[in-house]
Amino acid sequence: MLRFNNIRWGVILGSMLLASSVVWAQQPANSNSAVLNIQVNKPIAKVSPTLYGLMTEEINHSYDGGIYAELVRNRAFQDNRGWPDHWRILQDGNARASMHIDPSTGPSAALTSSLKLTVEQADAFSAAGIINNGYWGIPLRTGTAYRGSFYAKGSQDFSGPVTMRLVDNNTGNIVASATIPSLTTEWKQYKVALQTGQIATSASNHLELSVAHAGTVWFSLVSVFPPTYKNTPNGNRIDLMEKLAAMHPAFLRLPGGNYLEGDRLQDWYDWKKTIGPLVDRSTHPSPWRYRSSDGLGLLEFLEWCQDLHMQPVLAVYAGYSLRGEHVNPGPDLAPYVQSALDEIQYATGGTDTKWGAVRAKDGHPAAFPLTYVEIGNEDWFDRSGTYDARFAQFFDAIKKAYPQLQLIATAPIKSRVPDVIDDHFYRTAQQFFQDTHHYDKTDRKGPKIFVGEWATREGTPTPDFGAALADAAWMTGMERNSDVVIMSSYAPLFVNVNPGAMQWNTDLIGYDAVHSYGSPSYYAQAMFSNHLGNEVVDSSLNADNPRLFYSVTRNTTNGILYLKVVNASSKPQQLHIQLQGQKQVKGTATVISLIGHTTEETNSLVHPNRIVPVKSSMAGVSGDFQHTAPAYSIQIIEMNVQ
Ligand code: AHR
């Protein structure tokens, strides 16, 4: 059953069904029928239950300005040490004020600088303060409670009040407002409730922090949170989490990607700086040209996994950074190995362990499940030739402390036998079409395969239907070989489509501050993930269509046979399907179809539902029946076969 939460599928599916039947009727079929023979009761391989998962990293404003629900940009004034980027001065009426970064004071040892607001003149009718426009706007919805907070201190001659407001850009109307009556001369956190009334949903809003008389105020960690998924404080954006939930992913590879490595050695993902109270997180530069708030830190990643019933695939920094610097194996690498051991203990240790106790103090006493740990990311880029020895040092230490963990290598290793190898493929549609048999001959006695990053890179900011067809073709190959390909994850997962937000131009799910949409590739992924089965059955195809791909799996607990057919040709394809070895076949099958008119057709913020799965039922199913796969189509035929 395709499960897409909270989306009006009835309406969408109804209209898509109509549209797609027009496509089927208009096109003449490929002249040659293809014959597909399926040996229903002849399993040839197990299907990995973890085949489809997610890969995540801070790129394209995936976390800040993406799934992490914070609405204030550069909230801790750390993005630029010289100027409060993304902030502006507010000078109503005849108010006079200035702002700058003050490197001499901040609310914590992690945040040692702050924004200093100097007000020369202000009064009840002429407020002075600072303005933030969020991540391409501040999205506000009707009748909604927002959590506002900030750290502040005042000069001797300024004791408040300070007002926090959400203001409509177009009308100047105050949409929500709260006032803190007084400040002290010491750093302190203030929290307010910001409640909207009857408004239209819009991102054309800004935040104001203002005062009504002269004096000096320092601000840090200015935050506004909307309601979050499962109402978790410091949590995730609801619509994006729902889109992920609809995919039923088995795992989350975290925290990246290049994001794990950083540009320079000092920029590595030092997870210890991403846990605990937000005021104790120093923020860090990410390799994708903007600074990370680290609001979405290690514990938040693990909670994200918990919320979506995924297991974490924890990537630990292995001593190689993107500009080619590396840490020598041996004593130099030892602190990084220890950090990885500590990180594993933070995730999995009991509260009687050092780092398990820290996790409990951070609010999560229960340990998280963990099976896979990945050593580094794309270490084939390391020209120093040290990865084998670096991997061995991590491998020996982790296996000694946690023998049950499965360790993933990111490049070939000779000195040890990794449990799993991480392969990455960024390709054109044609390349994927030609390589769907990539894993057919892989040694079944060697390490398992994790296709940890892959995508057909056609279409921007999100893939078009031609890319989805190639993705689906590639997935049939992974699925057929999922006794050895045990996990896979498309990358990148997210893109904020606003101007200047994107660094990588083909991404699975697109959004702005208010709306989000799934690309055709997203729906192809969801369809495959939601109809997995647990065994690959024997089959053969006799066809002369070079762009016809398929996979057949079955679910042994309910007797459902899943036939996935990808017709990437511009012509419908006649299929003669022969089922053999079964006792009986139910005469009606369920068909889930994803169909495009052209390879360029796609979804977007404006047209989010142009290409979505359509569910229908198909009569006349028997041990020997005909089916026409529409032009440019991805179909799952769900048959009840005993
Ligand atoms: O997904 C984009 C980038 O591609 C990842 O950060 C990196 O691992 C790969 O090179």
Side-chain angles (χ1 to χ4, degrees):
M1 223 9 218
L2 200 60
R3 285 163 287 175
F4 292 102
N5 298 343
N6 296 333
I7 304 176
R8 287 168 293 130
W9 286 99
V11 177
I12 296 163
L13 299 188
S15 60
M16 285 303 295
L17 188 57
L18 201 62
S20 51
S21 55
V22 174
V23 177
W24 300 357
Q26 279 175 347
Q27 299 275 340
N30 271 342
S31 50
N32 292 328
S33 173
V35 181
L36 175 59
N37 183 282
I38 301 172
Q39 302 288 324
V40 171
N41 280 320
K42 198 169 162 201
I44 54 169
K46 291 278 179 221
V47 173
S48 167
T50 55
L51 182 58
Y52 297 111
L54 304 175
M55 187 271 175
T56 174
E57 58 184 314
E58 181 56 297
I59 185 173
N60 305 320
H61 286 274
S62 294
Y63 303 159
D64 293 340
I67 195 164
Y68 180 54
E70 173 65 80
L71 299 181
V72 181
R73 188 166 183 184
N74 190 16
R75 65 183 178 186
F77 309 106
Q78 303 297 307
D79 284 12
N80 176 349
R81 295 292 154 96
W83 181 250
D85 287 351
H86 311 296
W87 290 88
R88 281 189 287 155
I89 195 78
L90 168 73
Q91 298 176 105
D92 278 350
N94 60 1
R96 284 201 314 276
S98 62
M99 63 176 186
H100 67 263
I101 297 292
D102 185 344
S104 70
T105 182
S108 66
L111 300 177
T112 54
S113 61
S114 56
L115 181 137
K116 182 176 178 182
L117 174 69
T118 308
V119 180
E120 288 171 43
Q121 183 174 313
D123 58 44
F125 304 100
S126 301
I130 51 174
I131 292 175
N132 188 275
N133 286 297
Y135 293 96
W136 295 272
I138 293 196
L140 297 178
R141 293 181 162 80
T142 196
T144 304
Y146 295 80
R147 284 179 281 217
S149 63
F150 57 90
Y151 283 75
K153 71 173 189 176
S155 55
Q156 291 289 353
D157 58 344
F158 184 87
S159 62
V162 174
T163 298
M164 193 174 210
R165 280 179 183 153
L166 295 165
V167 181
D168 183 319
N169 291 345
N170 298 317
T171 61
N173 289 344
I174 296 166
V175 183
S177 176
T179 297
I180 296 292
S182 59
L183 302 184
T184 70
T185 54
E186 300 298 321
W187 281 107
K188 199 176 152 213
Q189 189 184 27
Y190 300 90
K191 293 184 179 176
V192 295
L194 295 164
Q195 176 70 42
T196 59
Q198 292 292 307
I199 55 166
T201 300
S202 163
S204 292
N205 304 290
H206 64 267
L207 169 73
E208 293 180 3
L209 271 175
S210 62
V211 302
H213 61 85
T216 305
V217 196
W218 289 262
F219 291 109
S220 181
L221 209 59
V222 181
S223 171
V224 177
F225 260 85
T228 57
Y229 191 71
K230 297 198 173 175
N231 231 358
T232 307
N234 196 42
N236 288 340
R237 184 170 148 170
I238 295 169
D239 58 333
L240 296 181
M241 286 293 275
E242 285 176 346
K243 284 200 169 51
L244 301 183
M247 297 171 80
H248 293 97
F251 65 86
L252 180 71
R253 176 177 177 236
L254 65 94
N258 290 357
Y259 184 61
L260 174 74
E261 303 165 86
D263 275 340
R264 314 295 301 264
L265 287 184
Q266 67 267 23
D267 302 329
W268 69 291
Y269 186 79
D270 191 353
W271 66 274
K272 289 178 187 170
K273 295 180 180 163
T274 74
I275 58 171
L278 296 179
V279 74
D280 295 332
R281 304 187 193 185
S282 51
T283 78
H284 83 281
S286 98
W288 296 104
R289 303 195 288 279
Y290 56 94
R291 202 169 176 88
S292 174
S293 75
D294 289 329
L296 203 166
L298 180 61
L299 182 60
E300 288 77 18
F301 280 119
L302 296 170
E303 289 176 338
W304 176 0
C305 292
Q306 178 177 273
D307 281 351
L308 298 190
H309 313 290
M310 311 179 280
Q311 48 174 308
V313 172
L314 182 65
V316 297
Y317 178 69
Y320 175 75
S321 289
L322 294 164
R323 293 203 193 160
E325 297 168 350
H326 74 276
V327 181
N328 280 322
D332 290 353
L333 195 63
Y336 298 94
V337 175
Q338 188 57 50
S339 169
L341 292 170
D342 294 346
E343 188 171 6
I344 295 166
Q345 193 179 77
Y346 183 88
T348 66
T351 51
D352 53 345
T353 62
K354 177 179 171 191
W355 287 101
V358 175
R359 184 195 64 239
K361 189 164 132 270
D362 292 343
H364 203 287
F368 293 92
L370 182 69
T371 307
Y372 296 100
V373 173
E374 180 157 8
I375 316 295
N377 176 60
E378 295 191 340
D379 285 77
W380 65 75
F381 280 114
D382 177 13
R383 300 283 167 244
S384 73
T386 58
Y387 183 60
D388 199 318
R390 288 188 287 111
F391 179 85
Q393 199 169 332
F394 278 89
F395 184 94
D396 293 350
I398 296 173
K399 284 282 182 186
K400 188 169 171 214
Y402 301 98
Q404 76 282 10
L405 290 179
Q406 300 283 292
L407 301 186
I408 305 171
T410 75
I413 295 292
K414 293 208 176 78
S415 68
R416 302 289 183 281
V417 181
D419 299 299
V420 184
I421 301 283
D422 182 359
D423 282 351
H424 293 182
F425 301 93
Y426 290 108
R427 290 187 162 174
T428 63
Q430 189 58 19
Q431 287 170 323
F432 269 140
F433 290 145
Q434 288 170 348
D435 199 25
T436 57
H437 293 277
H438 189 93
Y439 290 110
D440 288 4
K441 301 250 165 354
T442 300
D443 179 6
R444 264 47 185 179
K445 296 196 187 74
K448 302 287 189 198
I449 304 293
F450 172 27
V451 183
E453 294 182 31
W454 68 274
T456 307
R457 297 195 66 195
E458 292 183 5
T460 190
T462 49
D464 58 25
F465 195 67
L469 287 166
D471 288 348
W474 174 249
M475 283 191 280
T476 64
M478 291 199 290
E479 200 163 283
R480 209 176 40 247
N481 288 289
S482 71
D483 55 327
V484 65
V485 181
I486 56 165
M487 297 187 290
S488 70
S489 41
Y490 185 103
L493 181 60
F494 286 138
V495 60
N496 186 318
V497 300
N498 278 297
M502 179 176 80
Q503 290 85 43
W504 186 280
N505 62 1
T506 315
D507 309 286
L508 201 62
I509 296 171
Y511 47 86
D512 63 10
V514 172
H515 302 105
S516 58
Y517 70 97
S519 64
S521 291
Y522 163 81
Y523 289 110
Q525 286 266 322
M527 285 166 63
F528 273 63
S529 174
N530 287 320
H531 301 88
L532 186 55
N534 58 354
E535 286 181 351
V536 179
V537 299
D538 201 9
S539 62
S540 61
L541 176 70
N542 188 349
D544 62 6
N545 175 353
R547 284 183 290 284
L548 180 66
F549 309 91
Y550 79 103
S551 122
V552 202
T553 61
R554 69 176 190 180
N555 182 333
T556 50
T557 53
N558 62 11
I560 301 289
L561 191 74
Y562 297 113
L563 168 59
K564 299 179 178 96
V565 179
V566 181
N567 181 17
S569 143
S570 59
K571 303 274 186 259
Q573 175 65 56
Q574 193 70 26
L575 264 181
H576 177 181
I577 300 172
Q578 301 169 331
L579 305 180
Q580 288 177 343
Q582 75 284 358
K583 290 203 190 85
Q584 56 179 44
V585 187
K586 197 168 157 203
T588 306
T590 300
V591 183
I592 320 284
S593 304
L594 193 69
I595 301 174
H597 293 85
T598 69
T599 51
E600 281 66 31
E601 190 176 5
T602 197
N603 295 335
S604 63
L605 274 186
V606 182
H607 298 290
N609 299 318
R610 218 189 256 287
I611 299 174
V612 295
V614 176
K615 193 171 178 177
S616 59
S617 75
M618 178 168 79
V621 175
S622 67
D624 194 320
F625 68 103
Q626 302 282 333
H627 170 68
T628 303
Y632 295 140
S633 67
I634 301 165
Q635 288 191 308
I636 296 178
I637 304 173
E638 211 181 296
M639 290 172 270
N640 200 327
V641 180
Q642 304 297 331

